[in-house]
Amino acid sequence: PRRRANVAALPGAVGSVAMPDIHCGYGFAIGNVAAIDVDAPGAVVSPGGVGFDINCGVRLLRSEVMLEELLRRDGRKQRQLADVLFANVPAGVGTRSALRCSRARLEELLTRGMLALDELHDGVWPEDRAHCEEGGCIAAADARCVSERAKTRGIGQLGTLGAGNHYAEVQAVDEIYDAAAARAMGITRVGQICVMIHTGSRGLGHQVCTDYLKQIDAHLAEHPPSQPLNDRQLACVPVASPLGSAYLGAMNAAANFAFCNRSFIAAQVRRSFEQVFGASARELGMHVIYDVCHNIAKRETHKLSDGRTVAALVHRKGATRAFPPGHPSLPPAYQRCGQPVLVGGSMGTSSYVLTGTQRAMELTFGSTCHGAGRQLSRSKALHSLAPDEVLAALAARGVELRMHNKKLVAEEACEAYKNIHDVVDVCEAAGISSKCFRLRPIAVIKG
C-alpha cells in the first residue's frame, strides 16, 4: 500500500491502482498501474513504472491441431514437439540468436517494429500485426535515443526467449466460458492446441532502463525537485523535458524490439509445427490470437471519476491493457467481444484468455492482471522447494518440460506463485475483465 501511495504522489498522477497479482518490484510494484496527466504542471515519466524488461509481454498462437493427436501412441508427438521446439527456439541466459541482423536492420526494427518484417524473409504473416497491441509498432520510437551498448546487447538476441519466467508453452484449451468471444479468436473446441510465448526486449531493454536510470539520477542530483521523492526508486523527470522525451523514445524503440523478438520466435514455433505435423503452418491454422505488452508507458485518453477527460501517460508494470468492446484501438475481429487479455500461469498451471471491459476503463485505466504474481522470492523458492519434486509434479500432470538449467526449476515452480484461478476470479468479480477460455500446459520450453 505504501509503494502504491508513493506512486500516487508523483507529479501529474491522477490515479495509482493495484492488480490482484501485485508483488514486489523495483520502483513500482509489479502489478501497479498509474496514470499521469501529461498536461498537468511538472507531469513526469518514471522508468521504475515500466521496469527493466521493457515490453515484456505475451503472444498467443492458435492451431487446428487437437490434443488427442499429441497424446496418441503414448504421447510420442507431444514429446517430439517439445524436443523440436527446444531445438528451434533459443533459450537461456546469454543465449545468442541464429538470426543475422545488421546494425542498419536493427535500427529499422527499433524504429518501425513489425512494420519492418515480412513473410518471405522473416516468417511473419502480414495479418499478424493487426492482432498485436499498437499493431506491433509504437510510432513514437526513436532509435537514436538507444545507446550503442544497448544495441550491441540486443543485436544478437533477436528471436530468443531468455531465462527466468520467460517461456514458450504448448497449451490445450481446457474450458470455454464465452463461446462467442472465443469463436472470434478462432477457438471453437476444447482440446484445441495453442502456443503461448512470453518474453520481452532482452538485454537491449534492460540496458535502456539502466542507462536512463543513471542519467535521471545524475539529473536529480544536479537539479533536486522542489518536492522530494518519497522513494528513490521512483526517480522521474518531466515528460516534456529533453531527458523525459529521450527516455520515452528509447523505451518505445525497445518495445518495438520486443514485438519483433516475439515475431521471430513465433516464426520458429510455426516451423516447428510444420516439422512435426508435416503440413504448412497455414494449413495448421497457426494464426496470432493477440500480442499484449506487460511493461510499458503509453499515451492514452481516459475519463476520470470527476468527469474530466485527460491525455494520460499510463504506466503498466506487470499489468495488461484490457480495452472494452467498441474501442477504436481494437482490430475489427475484436470490436464486439473486446480486447483479448493474455494471462500466463506459472509453470505447470493453467493460463487464461480474458476480454477487456468498460468497467476497466472506469476503474483501472483500461487495465487488468498479467499473470499469477509471485508469492515467494526466487531465493526463497530455491531454498524451500526441491527441484526433483517440482519435476516429478510436472510429469505427474502430463507436462513435458525442456529446460537448459534444471537447477533453477524451483524458481518457477507453481508453489512460488499465487493461485492463478483466484487472481482471475478477482479480476472478473471486480468487472475489469471477463473470462473467455482457459488453457492447460502440455509442453514447456524454458531457459
Side-chain angles (χ1 to χ4, degrees), residues 81 193 195 269-278 284 286:
L81 183 58
I193 294 297
V195 180
V269 168
R270 284 168 171 158
R271 292 185 187 109
S272 299
F273 270 68
E274 289 174 339
Q275 286 179 243
V276 172
F277 295 102
L284 295 170
M286 300 197 70

Side-chain angles (χ1 to χ4, degrees), residues 6-259:
N6 288 341
V7 170
L10 289 172
V14 290
S16 173
V17 293
M19 302 297 105
D21 52 336
I22 195 165
H23 56 287
C24 290
Y26 181 92
F28 286 40
I30 299 165
N32 193 174
V33 176
I36 305 293
D37 178 357
V38 296
D39 295 322
V44 297
V45 58
S46 175
V50 174
F52 286 91
D53 193 0
I54 296 166
N55 190 7
C56 177
V58 173
R59 180 170 300 195
L60 186 65
L61 303 175
R62 70 175 190 259
S63 81
E64 296 302 320
V65 177
M66 297 300 292
L67 178 60
E68 59 255 31
E69 187 171 355
L70 285 180
L71 299 183
R72 284 186 199 132
R73 300 177 65 179
D74 197 29
R76 189 186 72 167
K77 278 277 177 71
Q78 179 188 9
R79 293 189 296 275
Q80 182 188 4
L81 183 58
D83 290 339
V84 172
L85 284 168
F86 192 55
N88 288 347
V89 179
V93 176
T95 302
R96 306 297 289 179
S97 172
L99 296 171
R100 298 290 182 89
C101 182
S102 67
R103 187 55 66 100
R105 171 72 160 153
L106 178 64
E107 298 283 334
E108 185 181 24
L109 298 179
L110 293 173
T111 303
R112 301 182 65 225
M114 289 178 65
L115 290 173
L117 305 179
D118 64 48
E119 185 168 3
L120 178 63
H121 299 98
D122 305 309
V124 177
W125 299 355
E127 61 267 35
D128 289 350
R129 292 191 293 271
H131 285 189
C132 295
E133 189 171 334
E134 299 298 324
C137 172
I138 299 181
D142 190 341
R144 297 170 300 178
C145 298
V146 178
S147 70
E148 288 303 309
R149 171 63 178 151
K151 291 172 183 175
T152 298
R153 290 185 66 181
I155 198 166
Q157 294 184 331
L158 276 166
T160 67
L161 279 174
N165 64 349
H166 293 166
Y167 58 77
E169 187 168 290
V170 180
Q171 303 171 333
V173 175
D174 199 33
E175 187 168 356
I176 297 174
Y177 304 98
D178 184 336
R183 193 178 307 113
M185 300 178 203
I187 299 299
T188 57
R189 295 165 290 174
V190 169
Q192 201 168 337
I193 294 297
C194 299
V195 180
M196 184 174 281
I197 299 164
H198 176 213
T199 189
S201 50
R202 306 289 282 111
L204 183 141
H206 193 285
Q207 191 65 46
V208 165
C209 184
T210 300
D211 290 340
Y212 281 93
L213 282 174
K214 288 179 180 178
Q215 292 182 53
I216 291 171
D217 281 343
H219 174 81
L220 293 175
E222 291 183 16
H223 309 282
S226 56
Q227 179 182 340
L229 293 172
N230 292 327
D231 183 345
R232 185 174 174 272
Q233 291 185 5
L234 296 178
C236 55
V237 287
V239 173
S241 69
L243 186 52
S245 296
Y247 168 71
L248 287 170
M251 180 207 69
N252 289 331
N256 285 343
F257 180 94
F259 284 131

Side-chain angles (χ1 to χ4, degrees), residues 101-440:
C101 182
S102 67
R103 187 55 66 100
R105 171 72 160 153
L106 178 64
E107 298 283 334
E108 185 181 24
L109 298 179
L110 293 173
T111 303
R112 301 182 65 225
M114 289 178 65
L115 290 173
L117 305 179
D118 64 48
E119 185 168 3
L120 178 63
H121 299 98
D122 305 309
V124 177
W125 299 355
E127 61 267 35
D128 289 350
R129 292 191 293 271
H131 285 189
C132 295
E133 189 171 334
E134 299 298 324
C137 172
I138 299 181
D142 190 341
R144 297 170 300 178
C145 298
V146 178
S147 70
E148 288 303 309
R149 171 63 178 151
K151 291 172 183 175
T152 298
R153 290 185 66 181
I155 198 166
Q157 294 184 331
L158 276 166
T160 67
L161 279 174
N165 64 349
H166 293 166
Y167 58 77
E169 187 168 290
V170 180
Q171 303 171 333
V173 175
D174 199 33
E175 187 168 356
I176 297 174
Y177 304 98
D178 184 336
R183 193 178 307 113
M185 300 178 203
I187 299 299
T188 57
R189 295 165 290 174
V190 169
Q192 201 168 337
I193 294 297
C194 299
V195 180
M196 184 174 281
I197 299 164
H198 176 213
T199 189
S201 50
R202 306 289 282 111
L204 183 141
H206 193 285
Q207 191 65 46
V208 165
C209 184
T210 300
D211 290 340
Y212 281 93
L213 282 174
K214 288 179 180 178
Q215 292 182 53
I216 291 171
D217 281 343
H219 174 81
L220 293 175
E222 291 183 16
H223 309 282
S226 56
Q227 179 182 340
L229 293 172
N230 292 327
D231 183 345
R232 185 174 174 272
Q233 291 185 5
L234 296 178
C236 55
V237 287
V239 173
S241 69
L243 186 52
S245 296
Y247 168 71
L248 287 170
M251 180 207 69
N252 289 331
N256 285 343
F257 180 94
F259 284 131
C260 294
N261 188 36
R262 291 195 287 273
S263 296
F264 287 124
I265 294 172
Q268 291 296 344
V269 168
R270 284 168 171 158
R271 292 185 187 109
S272 299
F273 270 68
E274 289 174 339
Q275 286 179 243
V276 172
F277 295 102
S280 73
R282 286 198 177 275
E283 290 172 323
L284 295 170
M286 300 197 70
H287 295 277
V288 172
I289 290 180
Y290 209 62
D291 182 302
V292 291
C293 312
H294 287 163
N295 295 342
I296 198 79
K298 291 172 61 182
R299 292 178 183 266
E300 298 171 359
T301 301
H302 286 278
K303 188 174 183 178
L304 306 182
S305 58
D306 62 7
R308 288 185 298 141
T309 298
V310 300
L313 184 65
V314 180
H315 295 62
R316 293 188 180 96
K317 183 177 182 182
T320 306
R321 195 184 75 172
F323 282 179
H327 196 282
S329 296
L330 302 184
Y334 301 142
Q335 281 293 314
R336 293 187 66 180
C337 66
Q339 180 205 308
V341 174
L342 312 179
V343 182
S346 52
M347 188 173 62
T349 65
S350 297
S351 296
Y352 282 85
V353 175
L354 316 177
T355 50
T357 65
Q358 183 58 39
R359 192 64 173 150
M361 300 298 287
E362 298 164 1
L363 294 178
T364 59
F365 304 101
S367 310
T368 191
C369 67
H370 84 306
R374 295 195 76 91
Q375 62 180 356
L376 296 180
S377 67
R378 295 189 181 279
S379 59
K380 190 169 184 180
L382 284 171
H383 285 97
S384 60
L385 301 172
D388 288 345
E389 293 179 6
V390 175
L391 291 170
L394 286 171
R397 294 189 183 103
V399 178
E400 289 287 334
L401 173 67
R402 301 292 183 271
M403 189 174 188
H404 285 283
N405 188 354
K406 292 187 178 178
K407 291 181 180 178
L408 302 180
V409 70
E411 288 188 10
E412 295 302 315
C414 59
E415 293 86 355
Y417 288 82
K418 300 175 186 177
N419 185 305
I420 184 69
H421 309 295
D422 292 344
V423 169
V424 167
D425 285 346
V426 168
C427 290
E428 185 164 64
I432 59 174
S433 47
S434 299
K435 286 192 279 190
C436 184
F437 59 94
R438 186 179 70 213
L439 300 143
R440 70 178 180 90

